[in-house]
């Protein structure tokens, strides 16, 4: 073998090794991305509220959200009801 062929073989071997390292890195990155994707877009298991205090807090939090939404809806209705009346014919 000549010197040129030996250097080509070494560089090809180094290139293949580098390519294998990149594939491993890509596989690890894809696994991490899959975990993050599952955390973001898949529903988590519901929590068990065993104690009465936890159940009461969950209930209060839910009702507070409903009441807050109703108040916001009423405010928006009052604010934009006058604007809608301005477009109607008398």
């Amino acid at each position: 073998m000549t010197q040129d062929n030996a250097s080509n073989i070494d560089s090809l071997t180094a290139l293949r090794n580098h390519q294998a390292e990149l594939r491993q890195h890509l596989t690890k990155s894809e696994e991490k991305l899959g975990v993050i994707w599952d955390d973001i877009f898949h529903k988590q298991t519901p929590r068990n509220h065993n104690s009465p205090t936890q159940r009461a807090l969950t209930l209060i939090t839910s009702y507070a959200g409903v009441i807050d939404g109703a108040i916001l809806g009423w405010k928006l209705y009052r604010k934009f009801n006058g604007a809608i009346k301005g477009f109607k014919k008398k």
Side-chain angles (χ1 to χ4, degrees), residues 5-6 24 31 35 38 46 50 52-53 60 62 66-68 70 90:
N5 287 338
Q24 289 175 352
E31 290 172 359
V35 169
D38 287 340
N50 295 330
T53 307
I60 290 170
S62 298
V66 170
I67 291 170
D68 187 40
K90 292 184 179 182

Side-chain angles (χ1 to χ4, degrees), residues 11-60:
S11 64
L12 287 176
T13 305
L15 184 62
R16 287 187 181 124
N17 290 338
H18 183 67
Q19 186 179 18
E21 289 175 12
L22 289 176
R23 280 191 183 133
Q24 289 175 352
H25 181 68
L26 184 61
T27 303
K28 289 178 185 177
S29 296
E30 286 177 349
E31 290 172 359
K32 287 180 186 178
L33 186 60
V35 169
I36 292 171
W37 183 270
D38 287 340
D39 288 344
I40 293 174
F41 291 107
H42 293 103
K43 192 172 188 175
Q44 297 177 359
T45 58
R47 295 184 220 152
N48 292 333
H49 300 293
N50 295 330
S51 71
T53 307
Q54 289 177 337
R55 285 192 297 264
L57 286 174
T58 303
L59 187 65
I60 290 170

